Amino acid sequence: MRTEMRLTGSGGQGLILAGIIFAEAALLDGNNSLQSQSYGPEARGGASKAEVIISKEEIDFPKVQVPNVLLSLTQVACDKYSSEIADDGIFIIDETVNVEDVKASVKLYRVPILKTAVEEVGKSIVANIVAIGFITELTGLVSKENVEAAILNRIPKGTEELNKKALEHGYKLALAVK
Amino acid sequence: MRTEMRLTGSGGQGLILAGIIFAEAALLDGNNSLQSQSYGPEARGGASKAEVIISKEEIDFPKVQVPNVLLSLTQVACDKYSSEIADDGIFIIDETVNVEDVKASVKLYRVPILKTAVEEVGKSIVANIVAIGFITELTGLVSKENVEAAILNRIPKGTEELNKKALEHGYKLALAVK
C-alpha cells in the first residue's frame, strides 16, 4: 500500500513540480504523500531527481528506497539513477534514452515524451506534464480528476490550456501502450 | 552540523518554493541538503509546511525531528506546528501571529513580514522572499551570494527586480533586530 516514485532528468525539466503535483493529487485522493528532493555532490553533475511516496497509511520512513515507478527523461539521469528499481517496477524512459541490463521482471516503457511536448503540444517545457499524464493513465496511482486539480493549483495563470493539452497527450501515449 | 528548518504558513504563500531555494543555496554553498513536504490529514486544514535539512555530512535520516529554525506566517500554521522546536531554536513569526508558552531558551522574533511584502515591496506574493532574506541575514545558514543565485534560478523571468527588492527588505528587517 506504499508506492515510491523517483522522477529523474535534467535540472530545468520541472520534475520537482511534477513531484509536488503527484503529491497534491494523492492528498486530494485521500492518501498520505511525501515529496522530496535531496541535493548532494551528485546533484552537481546536471542530473536532477524528485521523489514521491504515496501511501494509505501514515508515512513513517520518509525515504525512497527502491522505487516502484522510475522515470528518466535524460541519458545522464538514467545512467545515474536507474540501478535501483523494484523487481516488478515500472521504468519509463524517454525515447532518446538507452538502457541496458534491465531486469526481465521490470516493465520498461520507452516513450516519446520530449518529442510529444515539442511537436504535439508546442513547448518543450511541458514535458513534465506529458510525463504526469503518461504515468497517471498507465498506473492509476492518482486519479485523473485530482491530478488535473493539482496541476491547476500549481501552474502559472494563462497556461491552463497548454498544460491540459500536454496532460491529454500524456494520457494518449499511455493508452497506446497499455 | 545538521540544521533543520520548518517553514509554515498557508497554502498559497510559496513556502515550498522557499524551501527549494534554501536547499539549492545550501548545495551551492557546498553543503548537502534535503527539501520535503508531506501531505496528510493535517494538510487538509489550510496550513502548509515545507522542511529543509542542511548538513555538511550526508543526510542519513531525512526527516525533520525538532527544527532549529521555525517560521510561522499565519496563526493557523503557528497553532498547528509550533509545539516542536529545539531548546536553543530560532522561532520567527509574522507580527500578525500570537504565541504563548514559548520556552525561554528559544529566540523569538516577531516580524512584519507580510506587511513589508505588501507595503514596502508592493506584492503580498513575495512574503516568502522577504522571509528568506530575514532568515538568511539572521542565521547565516546559507550565503547571500548563493541564496540570490538560487532565487534567480527559480522565479519567473521578469520578476527579478521585485524579488531582489523583497530579499533586501528581508535582510533589513533582520539587521534591525540583530
Side-chain angles (χ1 to χ4, degrees):
Chain A
M1 300 312 289
R2 171 183 166 119
T3 303
E4 301 188 346
M5 176 158 38
R6 180 172 286 154
L7 309 172
T8 77
S10 69
Q13 287 178 322
L15 295 170
I16 296 177
L17 180 61
I20 291 170
I21 288 167
F22 273 123
E24 290 199 349
L27 172 74
L28 295 171
D29 284 341
N31 290 310
N32 295 292
S33 61
L34 183 132
Q35 194 283 317
S36 65
Q37 45 280 340
S38 58
Y39 301 86
E42 89 290 351
R44 297 182 184 99
S48 160
K49 74 170 166 17
E51 301 184 332
V52 186
I53 300 170
I54 297 175
S55 176
K56 284 265 169 242
E57 313 299 323
E58 203 181 323
I59 296 166
D60 288 323
F61 187 73
K63 202 167 181 171
V64 165
Q65 297 171 283
V66 184
N68 307 97
V69 178
L70 174 62
L71 169 75
S72 290
L73 289 184
T74 66
Q75 191 66 49
V76 172
C78 180
D79 293 346
K80 191 166 278 178
Y81 296 121
S82 67
S83 57
E84 287 176 331
I85 183 164
D87 284 341
D88 61 346
I90 293 174
F91 188 13
I92 301 150
I93 57 176
D94 189 68
E95 64 168 3
T96 57
V97 174
N98 292 298
V99 276
E100 289 165 17
D101 300 326
V102 178
K103 285 177 277 195
S105 57
V106 167
K107 291 178 211 86
L108 178 69
Y109 298 89
R110 198 148 168 260
V111 193
I113 292 171
L114 302 179
K115 186 180 168 191
T116 298
V118 173
E119 296 186 5
E120 304 291 330
V121 192
K123 292 264 182 195
S124 62
I125 202 164
V126 297
N128 59 346
I129 307 294
V130 175
I132 288 173
F134 184 85
I135 293 171
T136 300
E137 178 69 54
L138 186 75
T139 67
L141 196 54
V142 291
S143 68
K144 287 185 181 183
E145 177 191 352
N146 287 327
V147 89
E148 286 163 27
I151 288 171
L152 289 177
N153 278 343
R154 289 285 160 191
I155 57 168
K157 282 204 203 318
T159 67
E160 292 84 357
E161 284 310 306
L162 182 76
N163 281 288
K164 200 168 175 190
K165 195 173 166 190
L167 187 70
E168 278 168 8
H169 275 284
Y171 292 161
K172 259 197 229 171
L173 287 173
L175 285 170
V177 299
K178 257 164 106 169
Chain B
M1 301 310 293
R2 172 182 165 121
T3 303
E4 302 188 347
M5 179 160 33
R6 180 171 286 154
L7 308 172
T8 76
S10 71
Q13 288 178 321
L15 296 169
I16 297 178
L17 179 61
I20 291 170
I21 287 168
F22 274 122
E24 289 198 350
L27 172 74
L28 295 170
D29 284 340
N31 290 310
N32 295 291
S33 61
L34 184 132
Q35 195 285 316
S36 66
Q37 46 279 340
S38 59
Y39 301 86
E42 89 291 351
R44 297 184 183 97
S48 161
K49 77 167 162 20
E51 299 183 333
V52 186
I53 300 170
I54 297 176
S55 176
K56 286 265 168 241
E57 313 299 322
E58 204 181 320
I59 296 166
D60 288 323
F61 187 74
K63 203 168 180 172
V64 166
Q65 297 170 284
V66 183
N68 307 96
V69 179
L70 174 63
L71 169 75
S72 290
L73 289 183
T74 66
Q75 190 66 50
V76 172
C78 180
D79 293 346
K80 192 169 277 178
Y81 296 120
S82 67
S83 58
E84 286 176 334
I85 182 163
D87 283 341
D88 60 348
I90 292 174
F91 187 13
I92 301 150
I93 57 176
D94 188 68
E95 62 166 5
T96 57
V97 174
N98 292 299
V99 275
E100 291 165 16
D101 298 327
V102 177
K103 285 177 275 194
S105 58
V106 167
K107 290 179 213 82
L108 179 69
Y109 297 90
R110 197 147 168 261
V111 192
I113 293 171
L114 302 179
K115 186 181 170 191
T116 298
V118 173
E119 296 187 4
E120 304 292 331
V121 193
K123 291 264 183 194
S124 63
I125 201 164
V126 296
N128 59 345
I129 307 294
V130 175
I132 288 173
F134 184 85
I135 293 170
T136 299
E137 178 67 55
L138 186 76
T139 67
L141 196 55
V142 293
S143 68
K144 286 184 180 183
E145 179 191 350
N146 287 327
V147 88
E148 286 164 27
I151 288 171
L152 289 176
N153 279 343
R154 289 286 160 191
I155 57 168
K157 280 201 205 320
T159 67
E160 292 84 357
E161 284 310 307
L162 182 75
N163 281 287
K164 202 167 174 190
K165 195 173 167 191
L167 187 68
E168 279 169 7
H169 275 285
Y171 292 160
K172 261 196 230 170
L173 288 173
L175 284 169
V177 300
K178 256 166 108 171

